[in-house]
Amino acid sequence: DAGITQSPRYKITETGRQVTLMCHQTWSHSYMFWYRQDLGHGLRLIYYSAAADITDKGEVPDGYVVSRSKTENFPLTLESATRSQTSVYFCASSESGLRDHTDTQYFGPGTRLTVL
Amino acid sequence: GQNIDQPTEMTATEGAIVQINCTYQTSGFNGLFWYQQHAGEAPTFLSYNVLDGLEEKGRFSSFLSRSKGYSYLLLKELQMKDSASYLCAVRGITGGGNKLTFGTGTQLKVEL
């Protein structure tokens, strides 16, 4: 049971380049989320998805694009990377959006992105 | 929106008890989560409260008072491996009721 995986785990890129971070989960969870984690800010939601082909903005969506053509995959694309997007990116998934204890969000291992 | 406050750092002694507080202001409340995050790793789920009161799970307990916008995480019989960041997160009622807003985390250091 692989759970939730992210790739790459580490990425160094240059300003202006396009970068795609991958997230894959094997639980068939409906909800998937992208967060970034920075010192002093904690985890901030970038985008989330309630199901395939349904996505919505979170707290800090500018400069990012997401898609969800399949339930198990939720890629995050930085269309033109900037230094301010240097961060650790976590993908998470949860079973549903109902008011239920089992809607715990489970996190992937993270991708450490550096934009030079 | 939501605003969540928790102390930045705490230090405690191995074998002792420590309480990490979290206060929040929210326009819609659908539960409060505590996560543990070791350095360089992903957050992992510790506890969940949606009703007032204490939830106990082994060495870890979490308390919630919705009227006061207050929660705490209680760690007993501290071990060195408990040195980590503890994240308080509030679930809102928009976005299907499953969006989390996180505090900045409390870095706990357990010393001998």
Side-chain angles (χ1 to χ4, degrees):
Chain A
D1 187 356
I4 183 166
T5 56
Q6 294 182 234
S7 62
R9 294 293 314 278
Y10 302 90
K11 177 73 177 179
I12 299 175
T13 191
E14 296 177 338
T15 302
R17 298 222 179 205
Q18 183 178 82
V19 177
T20 296
L21 309 183
M22 304 301 294
C23 179
H24 176 78
Q25 52 104 355
T26 60
W27 294 309
S28 298
H29 282 171
S30 297
Y31 276 75
M32 296 188 74
F33 307 84
W34 274 107
Y35 295 90
R36 59 177 292 173
Q37 187 172 38
D38 306 286
L39 277 174
H41 288 282
L43 282 159
R44 291 181 293 173
L45 183 65
I46 304 170
Y47 269 95
Y48 68 100
S49 169
D53 297 322
I54 301 174
T55 62
D56 206 350
K57 296 178 180 179
E59 181 185 352
V60 289
D62 293 344
Y64 303 96
V65 174
V66 293
S67 62
R68 194 157 175 218
S69 57
K70 294 183 177 180
T71 299
E72 60 267 30
N73 296 325
F74 191 38
L76 175 74
T77 298
L78 289 67
E79 293 188 299
S80 179
T82 65
R83 289 184 182 175
S84 65
Q85 292 178 310
T86 293
S87 185
V88 180
Y89 291 85
F90 286 102
C91 179
S93 72
S94 67
E95 193 166 339
S96 73
L98 300 175
R99 298 188 179 200
D100 187 281
H101 176 249
T102 58
D103 288 344
T104 302
Q105 289 188 22
Y106 297 94
F107 285 80
T111 294
R112 186 173 294 274
L113 176 68
T114 301
V115 182
L116 301 176
Chain B
Q2 280 126 340
N3 186 45
I4 300 171
D5 290 309
Q6 49 181 133
T8 303
E9 295 178 338
M10 298 183 72
T11 301
T13 304
E14 188 180 38
I17 299 172
V18 70
Q19 178 175 312
I20 302 174
N21 296 323
C22 172
T23 58
Y24 63 90
Q25 297 90 41
T26 179
S27 56
F29 180 81
N30 186 19
L32 187 143
F33 293 78
W34 284 96
Y35 281 81
Q36 180 190 60
Q37 186 177 25
H38 285 101
E41 297 183 7
T44 56
F45 169 74
L46 284 179
S47 70
Y48 168 78
N49 296 73
V50 68
L51 300 176
D52 291 352
L54 188 68
E55 293 283 341
E56 297 187 80
K57 195 184 285 187
R59 294 190 299 115
F60 293 67
S61 303
S62 57
F63 172 83
L64 175 68
S65 169
R66 288 172 295 171
S67 62
K68 295 182 180 178
Y70 169 68
S71 173
Y72 67 73
L73 180 69
L74 194 70
L75 290 75
K76 304 175 186 176
E77 302 169 13
L78 279 172
Q79 301 174 10
M80 298 299 289
K81 68 179 183 179
D82 296 329
S83 292
S85 183
Y86 291 86
L87 312 178
C88 173
V90 172
R91 183 163 66 186
I93 58 175
T94 59
N98 209 22
K99 286 168 60 177
L100 292 181
T101 300
F102 284 83
T104 53
T106 298
Q107 187 66 45
L108 174 66
K109 183 178 180 181
V110 180
E111 298 179 329
L112 291 171

